[in-house]
């Protein structure tokens, strides 16, 4: 069960915990403050895609997984009035967030107490500009969010220029991630994966941020990544397809959740990362643009 606790060394801020996993960091006074590195990557993708569109153009965002509603708060602050729907099955967490971390001011964020698959199946196709999947059961991505059926449903929702952003976790040799992404590439015309260099090298269990859609602004996104506090790498195109071989996609019959982290070599937020030494050598294999 998730709970909201004060953030260590950050007066007035809060963390959503599920077991040992820090799921969200929230600064109620500054919704643009994104403490977790992986959330920064999600925001950077949004900044160069849907949030860069003219303000006169309506934008619709769907979130699978709510946590402390960090990303919905960010979108609301950056682009007020953006229509957002959040699917979060933990009704107690929703009530706790509403009581302890209420959304500020007028909001166009709708919260649905249901799981992502159920919520998505009730939506019309070709309606969503950004689908953000950041849903965990403890420290694991649920099995049902890694199947070909899930990705078919996710891509069904997107508008022609829509983008799918997904947070997954794994470590080398990335057997689970490869099977997960093998299902996505069947439906998405372009797919890229962003991770820290030490994660790519297998030196740390960590986050891989997946971006998929008809068109990915690689140059703009690469400029954002170049300014990151820790070295990042975007892999896509032929290099990604080669990396995925010979992984077979997960189906509903054989799906499994992502692996549990090795808590001795992991990171789910900058506070865990302080003091780590990072080797900035190249990852084995070539880089590629999406």
């Amino acid at each position: 069960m998730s709970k909201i606790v004060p953030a260590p060394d950050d007066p007035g801020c809060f963390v959503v915990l599920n077991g040992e996993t820090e799921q969200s960091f929230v600064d109620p006074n500054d919704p643009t403050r994104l403490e977790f590195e992986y959330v920064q990557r999600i925001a950077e993708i949004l900044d160069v895609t849907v949030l860069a569109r003219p303000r006169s153009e309506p934008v619709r965002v769907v979130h699978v997984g709510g946590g402390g509603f960090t990303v919905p708060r960010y979108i609301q602050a950056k682009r007020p009035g953006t229509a957002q729907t959040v699917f979060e099955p933990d009704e107690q967490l929703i009530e706790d967030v509403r009581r302890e971390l209420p959304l500020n001011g007028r909001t166009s964020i709708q919260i649905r107490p249901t799981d992502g698959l159920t919520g998505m199946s009730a939506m019309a196709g070709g309606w969503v500009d950004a689908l953000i999947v950041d849903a965990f059961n403890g420290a694991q991505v649920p099995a049902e969010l890694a199947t070909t059926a899930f990705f078919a449903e996710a891509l069904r929702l997107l508008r022609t220029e829509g983008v799918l952003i997904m947070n997954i976790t794994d470590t080398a040799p990335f057997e689970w991630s490869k099977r997960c992404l093998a299902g996505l590439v069947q439906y998405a015309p372009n797919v890229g994966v962003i991770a820290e260099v030490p994660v790519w090298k297998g030196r740390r269990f960590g986050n891989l941020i997946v971006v998929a859609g008809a068109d990915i602004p690689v140059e703009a996104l690469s400029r954002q990544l170049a300014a990151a506090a820790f070295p990042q790498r975007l892999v896509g195109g032929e290099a990604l397809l080669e990396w995925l071989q010979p992984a077979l996609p997960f189906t509903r019959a054989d799906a499994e959740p992502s692996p549990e982290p090795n808590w001795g070599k992991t990171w789910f937020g900058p506070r865990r990362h302080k003091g780590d030494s990072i080797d900035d050598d190249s990852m084995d294999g070539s880089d590629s643009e999406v």
Side-chain angles (χ1 to χ4, degrees):
M1 179 176 292
S2 298
K3 60 181 180 180
I4 300 171
V5 300
D9 305 320
D10 287 291
C13 299
F14 298 86
V15 173
V16 177
L17 288 178
N18 189 302
E20 297 182 79
T21 306
E22 296 179 357
Q23 291 189 323
S24 301
F25 179 98
V26 178
D27 184 342
N29 297 313
D30 184 3
T32 64
R33 178 184 175 187
L34 306 176
E35 193 74 2
F36 293 174
E37 281 270 325
Y38 85 87
V39 180
Q40 294 171 20
R41 303 290 81 79
I42 293 173
E44 288 163 357
I45 296 169
L46 291 169
D47 286 343
V48 300
T49 55
V50 296
L51 297 184
R53 295 181 185 177
R55 291 300 305 271
S56 59
E57 183 178 335
V59 169
R60 300 179 179 90
V61 181
V62 172
H63 305 259
V64 175
F69 301 89
T70 302
V71 176
R73 295 171 198 267
Y74 176 84
I75 294 172
Q76 178 178 279
K78 296 280 285 190
R79 190 184 172 104
T82 298
Q84 300 188 71
T85 301
V86 181
F87 297 126
E88 171 54 64
D90 189 337
E91 295 190 50
Q92 184 59 57
L93 177 60
I94 293 174
E95 292 306 311
D96 291 345
V97 169
R98 283 173 168 160
R99 182 180 63 254
E100 301 182 42
L101 300 171
L103 298 167
N104 295 327
R106 298 183 63 182
T107 176
S108 54
I109 301 172
Q110 297 182 331
I111 303 171
R112 302 291 188 231
T114 187
D115 65 273
L117 275 173
T118 300
M120 289 164 56
S121 66
M123 300 181 75
W127 181 82
V128 177
D129 295 284
L131 175 61
I132 303 169
V133 184
D134 186 15
F136 282 74
N137 182 5
Q140 295 177 281
V141 179
E144 61 268 23
L145 301 185
T147 68
T148 53
F150 173 77
F151 290 121
E153 184 69 5
L155 272 294
R156 179 188 70 83
L157 296 183
L158 292 184
R159 295 175 62 183
T160 302
E161 300 303 320
V163 61
L164 167 68
I165 306 170
M166 185 172 184
N167 174 35
I168 62 178
T169 54
D170 203 352
T171 191
F174 302 106
E175 293 178 356
W176 184 89
S177 294
K178 290 178 179 179
R179 293 196 65 186
C180 174
L181 296 176
L184 175 58
V185 298
Q186 291 188 356
Y187 299 98
N190 289 295
V191 179
V193 182
I194 301 167
E196 287 188 55
V197 172
V199 174
W200 281 122
K201 288 186 165 186
R203 297 179 180 175
R204 181 185 303 117
F205 184 100
N207 302 86
L208 294 91
I209 305 303
V210 181
V211 54
D215 182 36
I216 299 172
V218 174
E219 291 186 8
L221 186 54
S222 296
R223 287 194 295 271
Q224 296 272 33
L225 294 176
F230 302 101
Q232 307 286 323
R233 180 147 297 156
L234 168 63
V235 177
E238 291 299 323
L240 181 64
L241 295 178
E242 291 176 10
W243 183 70
L244 294 178
Q245 296 298 324
L248 297 176
F250 286 120
T251 68
R252 288 173 174 165
D254 67 357
E256 57 189 51
S258 63
E260 286 272 14
N262 174 355
W263 293 105
K265 293 184 65 179
T266 188
W267 167 72
F268 289 117
R271 287 185 303 281
R272 295 185 186 275
H273 206 82
K274 290 177 179 177
D276 277 354
S277 61
I278 297 179
D279 184 342
D280 192 21
D281 294 340
S282 296
M283 152 186 151
D284 292 338
S286 59
D287 292 344
S288 174
E289 293 187 349
V290 177

